[in-house]
Amino acid sequence: EGFESFPQEDDQITIKNNAIWWLKADKADADRYGIHAFTGRDPEVSDEMTRLLTPKHKDYGIRDSRIVNNTVVINKDEMTNTRITAGLGIQQADNMIVKNNAVAISDNSISSDTEIAAGLFLQGVMPEEGSITSDYNAYSLSGGSTVARFIQTDEMANIISKGSRNEYKNLLQWQMWTGNDINSPAGKNFLNDMEITAENIEMKPNNQLVGSILSDRGERLEYVEYDVNGKQRGAAGENYDLGALEFDSEMYNRDLQVMTITAPGAYRAT
């Protein structure tokens, strides 16, 4: 007698090499996610936001999965969005790898009342306690969007802190509090390196990509051999490019580079 849960094996889901763009809502109160990895929500909870944060099974998390080398672009639409906008959304994950992604929110007309407007939305335990390992990601954000929104829970998905929309407005704040995304580049709009229409997304010609923050900034991952178009990644032993599109370009020579120093260091609200 007793109960048995399935799956008995780790999920080991790999979400890779997706180019997701032109995400525009038909109505202002629609949620917009590039990628949303989450467990089932409790259908008996009536309030939409509360239901989003209430898993049906509190003792289960997505196990040993990966979100890697994806490009997400949430474009500006013709309305002031009042609901959730998130490049990557992750809820109830155990040991998830989040690396080499390029996430952009170019919509600058998101309502200030929106609870979540972030490149990364995470609900779970602290990363150091095993929810995610996030690094080598590029974030290009505008319109009041923040790098991250973190709703912290205990191991049984009970909420410890809901945080706030503007808690991690910049990458340094996220790095200092969680120790994640230490090698993630910041400070440049990588959308300037792309040509985007409703039908297609591609990198600009190679001679216009010198110094791109997407170029050779990623980690070499043995389970990501090719990009979205079938181009081999990391040719000649180079690091991977960030996002779904691998391209040929050059980085500026670096005689001196500023590195993120996390200790001694601490989160600051401003």
Side-chain angles (χ1 to χ4, degrees):
E1 295 185 2
F3 294 94
E4 194 164 357
S5 61
F6 293 89
Q8 295 174 318
E9 303 296 330
D10 293 340
D11 299 282
Q12 294 186 338
I13 300 166
T14 299
I15 302 171
K16 64 179 180 180
N17 287 335
N18 294 284
I20 302 165
W21 76 100
W22 220 257
L23 291 179
K24 297 185 176 184
D26 291 329
K27 55 183 182 178
D29 61 348
D31 292 338
R32 296 180 296 171
Y33 295 90
I35 296 172
H36 192 190
F38 63 112
T39 60
R41 305 291 95 182
D42 188 343
E44 296 186 6
V45 178
S46 58
D47 179 75
E48 287 189 43
M49 191 63 189
T50 304
R51 183 169 61 248
L52 172 70
L53 303 180
T54 307
K56 184 175 182 179
H57 302 288
K58 291 192 172 186
D59 60 346
Y60 177 75
I62 304 168
R63 295 173 294 191
D64 291 333
S65 295
R66 308 154 175 161
I67 299 176
V68 292
N69 276 110
N70 301 284
T71 295
V72 172
V73 181
I74 298 180
N75 303 83
K76 176 177 173 55
D77 51 30
E78 304 306 318
M79 62 195 74
T80 300
N81 301 94
T82 60
R83 288 282 298 178
I84 295 169
T85 297
L88 306 178
I90 302 167
Q91 297 176 265
Q92 273 67 58
D94 295 331
N95 300 317
M96 180 172 282
I97 301 298
V98 183
K99 291 184 176 181
N100 294 3
N101 299 288
V103 179
I105 300 175
S106 61
D107 190 347
N108 58 8
S109 58
I110 300 173
S111 170
S112 59
D113 295 328
T114 301
E115 293 196 45
I116 299 172
L120 172 64
F121 162 42
L122 171 65
Q123 180 186 359
V125 300
M126 283 287 291
E128 64 186 19
E129 296 173 356
S131 58
I132 66 170
T133 299
S134 181
D135 206 357
Y136 302 96
N137 302 295
Y139 301 98
S140 178
L141 307 166
S142 64
S145 301
T146 64
V147 169
R149 173 67 190 271
F150 179 33
I151 297 177
Q152 184 181 356
T153 71
D154 62 17
E155 293 182 353
M156 291 300 294
N158 299 303
I159 293 176
I160 296 173
S161 172
K162 283 190 175 181
S164 64
R165 169 173 166 169
N166 293 321
E167 191 170 15
Y168 304 103
K169 295 182 69 173
N170 60 61
L171 184 60
L172 184 61
Q173 291 171 320
W174 175 247
Q175 292 169 331
M176 289 296 107
W177 188 250
T178 67
N180 271 229
D181 283 293
I182 298 303
N183 296 292
S184 296
K188 183 179 179 182
N189 181 5
F190 63 76
L191 292 179
N192 294 328
D193 300 333
M194 298 178 175
E195 294 178 345
I196 301 175
T197 66
E199 294 77 26
N200 192 36
I201 181 171
E202 61 184 4
M203 304 302 295
K204 289 183 176 179
N206 293 335
N207 61 3
Q208 298 182 37
L209 296 174
V210 176
S212 169
I213 65 168
L214 302 181
S215 178
D216 298 343
R217 298 275 189 168
E219 184 177 345
R220 295 180 61 88
L221 304 171
E222 61 181 12
Y223 47 86
V224 188
E225 297 183 49
Y226 303 96
D227 78 348
V228 64
N229 296 317
K231 181 179 176 64
Q232 183 178 356
R233 288 196 179 274
E238 293 181 341
N239 290 338
Y240 287 5
D241 295 332
L242 302 183
L245 302 163
E246 189 81 3
F247 57 97
D248 299 316
S249 184
E250 297 179 5
M251 297 178 66
Y252 291 120
N253 291 329
R254 293 176 292 181
D255 296 321
L256 181 65
Q257 180 179 6
V258 177
M259 304 296 291
T260 301
I261 300 173
T262 58
Y267 170 89
R268 293 185 61 180
T270 58

